[in-house]
């Protein structure tokens, strides 16, 4: 299992849009002199996520987890798709889409993301 991202910070499911490129944004807001962190995936084909995470581990899905996503959740996974699994030891959620991208900055709670405008988000 290859870990892609790990943080003890609180992340919120900040925005998902099925229109305009199927984009997902998870955000840890700036607090106590810590930077704001945006995690971004575009071309999302399917997801199963909580709205709030107190600590977050994202890793590549194992072949067995990819099969589960396809068979149980009915989401086709092709060679261009990444299966980003939430959970260090077991799958507690997932995102199927493009690569996971990350950006840190000192912007405020509602400042636009560095990943560009996502319609409907501040």
């Amino acid at each position: 299992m290859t870990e892609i991202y790990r943080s003890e910070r609180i992340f919120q499911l900040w925005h998902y849009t099925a229109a305009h490129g199927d984009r997902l944004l998870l955000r840890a807001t700036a607090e106590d002199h810590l930077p704001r962190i945006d995690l971004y995936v575009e071309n999302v084909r399917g997801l199963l996520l909580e709205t709030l995470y107190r600590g977050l581990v994202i890793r590549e899905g194992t072949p067995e987890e990819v099969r589960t996503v396809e068979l149980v959740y009915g989401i086709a996974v092709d060679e261009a798709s990444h299966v980003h699994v939430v959970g260090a030891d077991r799958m507690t959620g997932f995102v199927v889409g493009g690569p996971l991208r990350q950006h840190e900055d000192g912007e405020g709670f509602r400042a636009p993301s560095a990943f560009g405008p996502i319609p409907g988000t501040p």
Side-chain angles (χ1 to χ4, degrees), residues 1-2 58-73 75 77 83-94 96:
M1 295 184 285
T2 303
I58 300 175
R59 59 182 173 75
E60 292 178 6
T62 65
E64 181 179 305
E65 290 167 331
V66 171
R67 281 192 301 281
T68 297
V69 166
E70 290 181 311
L71 296 174
V72 174
Y73 298 99
I75 300 167
V77 179
V83 179
H84 308 289
V85 170
V86 176
D89 300 334
R90 62 182 180 86
M91 182 170 70
T92 61
F94 63 85
V96 178

Side-chain angles (χ1 to χ4, degrees), residues 5 13 28 44 55 60 65 82-83:
Y5 186 80
L13 175 58
V44 174
E60 292 178 6
E65 290 167 331
H82 298 261
V83 179

Side-chain angles (χ1 to χ4, degrees), residues 54 79 81 85 114:
R54 297 184 189 283
E79 293 109 28
S81 299
V85 170

Side-chain angles (χ1 to χ4, degrees), residues 3 6 12-13 35-36 43 49 59 74 100 107 114 122:
E3 197 170 284
R6 176 184 289 268
Q12 293 178 302
L13 175 58
R36 179 180 76 169
N43 300 318
L49 293 174
R59 59 182 173 75
L100 179 73
E107 295 292 330

Side-chain angles (χ1 to χ4, degrees), residues 4-81:
I4 301 169
Y5 186 80
R6 176 184 289 268
S7 176
E8 296 304 315
R9 303 268 307 271
I10 296 172
F11 280 83
Q12 293 178 302
L13 175 58
W14 199 256
H15 191 77
Y16 171 71
T17 179
H20 309 289
D22 296 311
R23 296 180 283 173
L24 169 74
L25 185 66
L26 296 169
R27 177 172 281 177
T29 58
E31 56 188 49
D32 299 326
H33 306 292
L34 294 173
R36 179 180 76 169
I37 303 170
D38 282 351
L39 301 177
Y40 175 79
V41 178
E42 58 188 3
N43 300 318
V44 174
R45 302 182 69 173
L47 58 99
L48 176 66
L49 293 174
E50 300 285 334
T51 58
L52 182 76
Y53 290 96
R54 297 184 189 283
L56 183 64
V57 175
I58 300 175
R59 59 182 173 75
E60 292 178 6
T62 65
E64 181 179 305
E65 290 167 331
V66 171
R67 281 192 301 281
T68 297
V69 166
E70 290 181 311
L71 296 174
V72 174
Y73 298 99
I75 300 167
V77 179
D78 59 25
E79 293 109 28
S81 299

